[in-house]
């Protein structure tokens, strides 16, 4: 149980294009979903928290116009990197919790983004 | 402020050795949760355990065991008879009410188990 998927697992794009990453909870309804970014050999950095049907809460320093998050249903959240640039290249990981922020987070397999 | 410290950046052991990964946390909350996750080379974080601050019982799950000591603010993880498949980065995390339960991750410990 508690399986989270992400799609795509790998994406390479040209600078200036937008990329959408999907995060789905497959066998449970996720009240809250989280988006993280991880640089090589570093820990995870929380980008934003999203609750179904409401606007995402972004962490300080994360550009909300650059990283658009939509949590349209209890099983799907999307992260769109708009006008991607090489510095946006990273490993993006989503997680989902059952029942709210205080519950255990289950993580997706991550999406590796390379912007050329 | 909340903080998680994993002082061991990288550990190498030979297969079948026991290994302990250290995790020290800081929080002023009385109610909080501690977690361990495993991140293999594939990248996905695998949930291992969650502990709440009121439950100091040690936990054992197969070759894995966890020692939670509030007196020293530590939540250490031991792998008994390590295997090559245990090679991964292990993250300790803390969540607490004053931080709106956002995860505070440690910097991770890279474990290499050599055959």
């Amino acid at each position: 149980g508690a399986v989270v998927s992400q799609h795509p697992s790998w994406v390479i794009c040209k600078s200036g294009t937008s990329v959408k990453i999907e995060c789905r909870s497959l066998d449970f309804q996720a009240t809250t979903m989280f988006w993280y970014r991880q640089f090589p050999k570093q820990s995870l950095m929380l980008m934003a928290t999203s609750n179904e049907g409401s606007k995402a809460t972004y962490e300080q320093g994360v550009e909300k116009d650059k990283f658009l998050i939509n949590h349209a249903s209890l099983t799907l959240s999307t992260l769109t990197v708009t006008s991607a640039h090489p510095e946006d290249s990273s490993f993006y990981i989503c997680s989902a919790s059952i029942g709210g922020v205080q519950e255990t987070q289950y993580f997706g397999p991550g999406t590796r983004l390379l912007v050329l | 402020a909340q903080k998680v410290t994993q002082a061991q950046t990288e550990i190498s052991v030979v297969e079948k050795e026991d290994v302990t990964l250290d995790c020290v946390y800081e929080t002023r909350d009385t109610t909080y949760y501690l977690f361990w996750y495993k991140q293999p080379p594939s990248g996905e974080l695998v949930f291992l355990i969650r502990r709440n601050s009121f439950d100091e019982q040690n936990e054992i799950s197969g070759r894995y065991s966890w020692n939670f000591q509030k007196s020293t603010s530590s939540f250490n993880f031991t792998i008994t008879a390590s295997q090559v498949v245990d090679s991964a980065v292990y993250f300790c995390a803390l969540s607490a009410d004053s931080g709106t339960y956002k995860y505070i991750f440690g910097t991770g410990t890279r474990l290499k188990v050599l055959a």
Side-chain angles (χ1 to χ4, degrees):
Chain A
V3 179
V4 177
S5 71
Q6 266 183 257
H7 178 79
S9 54
W10 257 107
V11 59
I12 301 174
C13 68
K14 293 182 179 179
S15 187
T17 60
S18 292
V19 175
K20 180 185 281 189
I21 302 170
E22 291 187 351
C23 176
R24 293 182 185 272
S25 56
L26 298 184
D27 53 359
F28 65 99
Q29 293 188 325
T31 308
T32 308
M33 286 186 166
F34 306 83
W35 287 95
Y36 293 84
R37 184 172 179 176
Q38 186 180 31
F39 292 103
K41 297 193 176 184
Q42 293 190 23
S43 190
L44 283 78
M45 180 190 80
L46 179 65
M47 299 175 66
T49 303
S50 73
N51 291 291
E52 184 261 343
S54 60
K55 289 184 178 180
T57 301
Y58 290 81
E59 294 300 298
Q60 194 171 8
V62 177
E63 299 176 59
K64 54 183 69 175
D65 294 331
K66 159 69 88 174
F67 300 101
L68 300 179
I69 292 172
N70 183 273
H71 193 160
S73 76
L74 285 172
T75 60
L76 173 65
S77 177
T78 60
L79 166 68
T80 301
V81 183
T82 61
S83 187
H85 292 284
E87 58 266 28
D88 299 323
S89 299
S90 192
F91 187 52
Y92 294 88
I93 312 174
C94 73
S95 69
S97 66
I98 308 167
V101 292
Q102 71 274 24
E103 300 299 328
T104 299
Q105 293 181 31
Y106 297 94
F107 286 81
T111 296
R112 296 189 189 277
L113 170 64
L114 178 61
V115 184
L116 302 176
Chain B
Q2 298 172 9
K3 187 178 178 182
V4 174
T5 301
Q6 293 181 257
Q8 304 151 307
T9 305
E10 186 167 316
I11 301 175
S12 291
V13 298
V14 176
E15 208 171 17
K16 298 184 183 177
E17 285 185 1
D18 299 347
V19 58
T20 296
L21 309 182
D22 298 333
C23 173
V24 174
Y25 63 93
E26 294 177 29
T27 181
R28 291 184 178 179
D29 291 67
T30 55
T31 301
Y32 53 90
Y33 301 91
L34 296 164
F35 304 83
W36 275 95
Y37 286 86
K38 173 183 180 180
Q39 187 177 39
S42 61
E44 179 174 359
L45 267 80
V46 178
F47 167 70
L48 296 178
I49 191 170
R50 163 186 158 118
R51 253 297 177 256
N52 74 57
S53 51
F54 299 107
D55 183 2
E56 283 193 77
Q57 279 194 340
N58 291 333
E59 175 108 3
I60 298 175
S61 176
R63 296 184 297 107
Y64 295 169
S65 62
W66 290 268
N67 182 271
F68 177 28
Q69 291 195 339
K70 289 176 74 171
S71 60
T72 55
S73 297
S74 64
F75 186 43
N76 296 337
F77 172 32
T78 298
I79 302 175
T80 303
S82 60
Q83 300 175 2
V84 173
V85 293
D86 296 326
S87 297
V89 179
Y90 291 86
F91 288 99
C92 180
L94 163 73
S95 76
D97 179 59
S98 66
T100 61
Y101 293 103
K102 295 175 189 176
Y103 275 20
I104 306 297
F105 281 97
T107 50
T109 296
R110 182 175 300 275
L111 174 64
K112 292 185 178 179
V113 181
L114 308 172

